Amino acid sequence: MFRYVTPKEIPNLKSVTQPDGKRFYTLPSGKVVPSVTTVIGAMKKKSIMAWRKRVGEEEANRISRQASSRGTNVHTLCEKYLNNEPIPKDAMPDAAVMFRDLKPLLNRINNIHYQEQALWSERLEMAGRVDCIAEFDGVLSVIDFKTSKRIKTREDITDYFAQCTAYSLMYEELVGTPIDQFVVIMAVNDCPPLIFIEKTEDHINTLVEHINFFNFYQ
């Protein structure tokens, strides 16, 4: 059984997604700020548009829907497992296989602070919803669950690292406790899962680059 040790009650936030896909949150102060994924995704927008043009809109939409559905299904199974809830027997087969492969890594998580919790920063002027904040191998960490069709390297996912860094800083601002480590756990089609354990301080500059890029080009 996973243990929950929530340090502080944090209110939920209202969000609005615009037609162009950008999401904005309203903070308790009334300030409206972009989501972490909106800020981090700004740099990738050009390459995504080029990919959609290359494969065609219909195929791009099909691949995107498939990836989104698989990611949501795997994430839901992970969330239920960490919530000590039974795993549905009618789970989609591909998601069930990925979840099975992830279980040994999920079992290294405990003393869970938050799951699917809204976090924000007045200083960074961003908000978002973190997958999980808990101890991983006994170390307090931001934990992010991802899925992928192929093996990825550290260089492929620097945007994930920036995202986790943002959540680490938001948690510290709201709770008062620094998080020095984050963990990206990635299920991969037909391959063993990947795990990336990183130091928050090593990726602050990357996060700042994303924020500056978004603020300049928005």
Side-chain angles (χ1 to χ4, degrees):
M1 295 285 287
F2 296 99
R3 179 171 177 255
Y4 275 74
V5 288
T6 303
K8 177 182 178 180
E9 291 299 322
I10 298 176
N12 208 344
L13 298 178
K14 291 184 178 179
S15 67
V16 174
T17 302
Q18 297 180 341
D20 61 1
K22 292 180 181 178
R23 182 179 294 116
F24 290 84
Y25 287 87
T26 301
L27 305 188
S29 65
K31 182 186 295 184
V32 177
V33 300
S35 71
V36 176
T37 51
T38 293
V39 173
I40 303 299
M43 278 190 180
K44 296 180 65 176
K45 189 173 181 180
K46 187 174 181 179
S47 61
I48 291 173
M49 290 175 65
W51 168 74
R52 295 185 70 88
K53 184 176 181 180
R54 186 170 66 252
V55 303
E57 284 297 311
E58 184 175 345
E59 178 66 5
N61 289 337
R62 185 191 68 80
I63 293 172
S64 296
R65 284 194 301 268
Q66 185 181 61
S68 177
S69 175
R70 181 182 63 239
T72 298
N73 290 334
V74 171
H75 186 276
T76 297
L77 294 178
C78 291
E79 184 179 357
K80 285 182 176 296
Y81 185 62
L82 293 177
N83 275 333
N84 302 307
E85 298 175 11
I87 301 302
K89 294 182 179 180
D90 60 349
M92 295 300 292
D94 57 343
V97 169
M98 284 184 161
F99 168 72
R100 181 198 65 199
D101 292 342
L102 290 178
K103 279 183 70 174
L105 296 176
L106 297 178
N107 288 335
R108 295 164 66 179
I109 297 171
N110 211 346
N111 294 324
I112 299 169
H113 289 207
Y114 301 107
Q115 265 213 102
E116 280 297 305
Q117 174 63 53
L119 298 176
W120 68 89
S121 168
E122 293 277 359
R123 182 165 54 90
L124 297 176
E125 297 188 324
M126 284 194 301
R129 192 170 293 278
V130 68
D131 285 354
C132 181
I133 294 179
E135 291 181 7
F136 187 87
D137 289 343
V139 179
L140 183 61
S141 308
V142 167
I143 303 170
D144 197 32
F145 305 116
K146 300 293 186 185
T147 58
S148 176
K149 289 184 65 176
R150 62 177 179 85
I151 296 290
K152 291 185 177 179
T153 67
R154 291 181 74 258
E155 290 70 28
D156 294 327
I157 59 171
T158 56
D159 53 335
Y160 296 166
F161 296 163
Q163 181 181 13
C164 289
T165 299
Y167 290 133
S168 297
L169 299 177
M170 290 175 183
Y171 177 94
E172 181 176 2
E173 185 173 326
L174 292 171
V175 178
T177 302
I179 297 182
D180 299 325
Q181 171 179 289
F182 61 81
V183 182
V184 177
I185 298 174
M186 183 180 296
V188 184
N189 276 11
D190 302 320
C191 292
L194 302 174
I195 181 170
F196 302 86
I197 302 176
E198 298 286 328
K199 294 296 183 184
T200 302
E201 64 181 5
D202 293 339
H203 301 279
I204 291 176
N205 287 342
T206 302
L207 173 61
V208 171
E209 289 175 7
H210 280 283
I211 293 172
N212 289 341
F213 182 92
F214 177 82
N215 289 336
F216 185 79
Y217 286 101
Q218 71 170 332

